[in-house]
DNA sequence: CGACTTCTTGAACCGAGTCAAGAAGGGTGG
DNA sequence: CCACCCTTCTTGACTCGGTTCAAGAAGTCG
């Protein structure tokens, strides 16, 4: 798991305006054009905030990863969520230490969601933004469970499975593999563990053949089994076989 | 910390429609009357959900405590938040195992928020509901930090300090003391710890003279100091002296 | 009073943290 | 292309916070 930036969306229309490209692959082309005209580039490590003048801003991630996090006065950090290409969010101003903030984990391209509907939020944009907010909140709950009630191994797998599904939805997964620009430290700060323990946990998972990590990419082997082990439930309710999670049938 | 129900709001107008009574102690009296006509009673332990027919329901807690939680298929439970008198929320239907659900921790009285504005949500109600949602989300982030990055002692104190502030805001604190209808198990499930360890942690805090717990009531001694220790930041930004939290100056 | 829940405490265990040092990458300038 | 630096990853040894198991005490309720 090495930091390697530049995982830009292969084909534009797959990560277009709609938060969930599956429902309508190619949205209004003119809208997407407008999209690109208002793109902002943010370098890795930089904070994402409203310009001094503005109030609140609805953005869409076009390329790259963003973390939503808080830093405690004594330096401890907690990452609440990762924003991936296609994700929308409302950004308000904040100082970050003590409060929440968005930080670019890679070089990032973001677009103003408002611009998609030229000016005021129009119906479809407002809707997908609302839908995005709903999902974001749901993920936040998942994250609380992860941190509060899962073991280290379960946490790691559970998070990776979520990232898999989300990246898959925007076409960034191929052969059960996706690029992941996170350092083990970021992983640790998201999951409430120490870097060292994240490392050891990944080693274990590797040895058990459950996943492959390295050079900025992750491959999940037998996601079905991993999901059952890590109490992971896919967002779309189609597939849900999990019995009592936590135990490992054969491993 | 013993379960003792019946902590009803002493004076009605303090817990009236507005989520934050401080800004306007006595809201429209007629509205409050209407309030009482549409009150629902829910016994301790019961789930709170929409009636079979309905879709989504905006409610206000009038009396009692409610927990928002999820139960994993293997029985582990995570409590996301506590709803106290005066809190508003939007309730949608859910099965609870696997997904989220609201459970009455005590006997509870709830009112329909919509009823406050006779029918459709009117401006003031919609606003305070939006404001309540904002705060609720902010608290959820606080909770993630608590669980993800604080030690057991910090977690316990931090949560108690939050409950203090919220109960104080609706007039349910007197002499640094408030009633708390939580069992240690609920505390454990909220903070991601075991019951036994919650118990021991409370013992420690007692011995250090930081708080008093017993017979369903908690008293916090020297909240200023406790807040600094537990990385707690009050919602209203007036008072914030905390330096680098985590260490105990003298104790 | 009896039954049940909740609290408390001890002892043993172990998952995860800390400290520390070395290896492996990755990027940069000469 | 190499030398160097800095970040990230890895591993070992040790510590410790928190869990588990178990059993008894204290409350609480009918």
């Amino acid at each position: 798991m090495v930091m390697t930036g530049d995982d830009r969306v292969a084909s534009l229309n797959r990560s277009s305006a709609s938060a969930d490209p599956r429902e309508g692959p190619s949205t209004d082309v003119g809208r997407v054009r407008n999209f690109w005209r208002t793109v902002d580039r943010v370098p890795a490590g930089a904070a994402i905030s409203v310009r001094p003048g503005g109030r609140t801003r609805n953005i869409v991630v076009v390329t790259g990863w963003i973390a939503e996090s808080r830093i405690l006065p004594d330096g401890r950090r907690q990452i609440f969520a990762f924003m991936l290409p296609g994700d929308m969010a409302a950004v308000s101003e904040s100082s970050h230490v003590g409060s929440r903030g968005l930080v670019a984990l890679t070089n990032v391209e973001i677009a103003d969601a408002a611009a998609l509907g030229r000016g005021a939020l129009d119906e479809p944009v407002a809707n997908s933004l609302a839908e995005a907010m709903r999902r974001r909140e749901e993920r936040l709950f998942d994250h609380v469970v992860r941190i509060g009630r899962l073991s280290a191994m379960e946490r790691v797998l559970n998070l990776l499975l979520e990232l898999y599904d989300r990246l898959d939805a925007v076409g960034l997964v191929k052969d059960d593999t996706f690029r992941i620009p996170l350092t083990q430290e970021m992983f640790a700060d998201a999951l409430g563990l120490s870097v060292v323990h994240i490392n050891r946990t990944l080693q274990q998972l590797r040895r058990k053949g459950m996943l492959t990590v390295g050079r900025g990419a992750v491959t999940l082997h037998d996601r079905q089994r991993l999901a059952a082990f890590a109490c992971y439930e896919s967002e779309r309710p189609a597939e849900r076989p999990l019995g009592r999670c936590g135990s490992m049938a054969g491993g």
Side-chain angles (χ1 to χ4, degrees), chain A:
Chain A
M1 182 136 18
V2 185
M3 164 85 91
T4 54
D6 206 282
D7 49 329
R8 48 189 66 226
V9 185
S11 59
L12 173 58
N13 59 357
R14 300 214 59 169
S15 76
S16 61
S18 162
D20 185 354
R22 275 167 301 154
E23 49 199 45
S26 74
T27 33
D28 182 4
V29 175
R31 190 173 282 158
V32 174
R33 289 249 178 66
N34 194 356
F35 200 97
W36 281 101
R37 273 193 227 113
T38 60
V39 153
D40 265 346
R41 275 157 224 282
V42 180
I48 294 167
S49 53
V50 292
R51 292 103 190 312
R55 289 262 292 294
T56 304
R57 205 177 147 207
N58 299 315
I59 64 166
V60 180
V61 181
V62 178
T63 282
W65 288 39
I66 297 172
E68 189 169 12
S69 66
R70 185 187 295 173
I71 298 176
L72 300 185
D74 64 355
R76 284 178 282 187
R77 180 174 68 161
Q78 176 66 50
I79 293 179
F80 301 115
F82 297 110
M83 290 181 61
L84 313 180
D87 285 345
M88 301 174 101
V91 186
S92 54
E93 50 191 334
S94 64
S95 58
H96 197 195
V97 170
S99 61
R100 252 180 310 138
L102 296 178
V103 180
L105 299 178
T106 65
N107 291 330
V108 165
E109 290 173 342
I110 55 182
D112 258 297
L116 294 174
R118 83 184 54 197
L121 286 183
D122 61 353
E123 195 75 11
V125 170
N127 280 348
S128 60
L129 205 154
E131 173 65 7
M133 305 271 266
R134 227 206 75 259
R135 292 193 185 202
R136 171 169 166 276
E137 186 182 43
E138 208 54 54
R139 273 188 244 119
L140 194 53
F141 283 108
D142 292 344
H143 201 51
V144 172
V145 173
R146 221 173 261 147
I147 294 175
R149 280 304 179 213
L150 300 191
S151 71
M153 256 202 220
E154 291 169 330
R155 288 184 212 186
V156 169
L157 284 176
N158 192 297
L159 177 54
L160 287 176
L161 285 161
E162 182 197 299
L163 293 174
Y164 181 103
D165 279 349
R166 290 169 61 194
L167 289 169
D168 192 28
V170 292
L172 288 173
V173 174
K174 186 167 275 184
D175 297 326
D176 291 336
T177 303
F178 56 92
R179 318 211 88 233
I180 182 170
L182 302 180
T183 64
Q184 294 185 357
E185 188 181 10
M186 294 170 190
F187 235 72
D189 285 344
L191 295 176
L193 297 166
S194 69
V195 191
V196 174
H197 201 245
I198 285 285
N199 186 295
R200 286 197 233 269
T201 304
L202 285 173
Q203 303 293 347
Q204 275 188 267
L205 292 170
R206 259 188 285 218
R207 269 183 242 117
K208 293 194 178 192
M210 298 169 100
L211 48 73
T212 308
V213 267
R215 254 165 297 119
V218 172
T219 309
L220 301 181
H221 307 131
D222 196 352
R223 279 166 39 241
Q224 201 74 10
R225 197 165 68 104
L226 299 188
F229 174 64
C231 289
Y232 178 75
E233 267 186 276
S234 174
E235 256 190 19
R236 47 225 151 172
E239 11 149 356
R240 59 170 59 183
L242 58 85
R244 45 195 61 266
C245 56
S247 62
M248 203 56 210

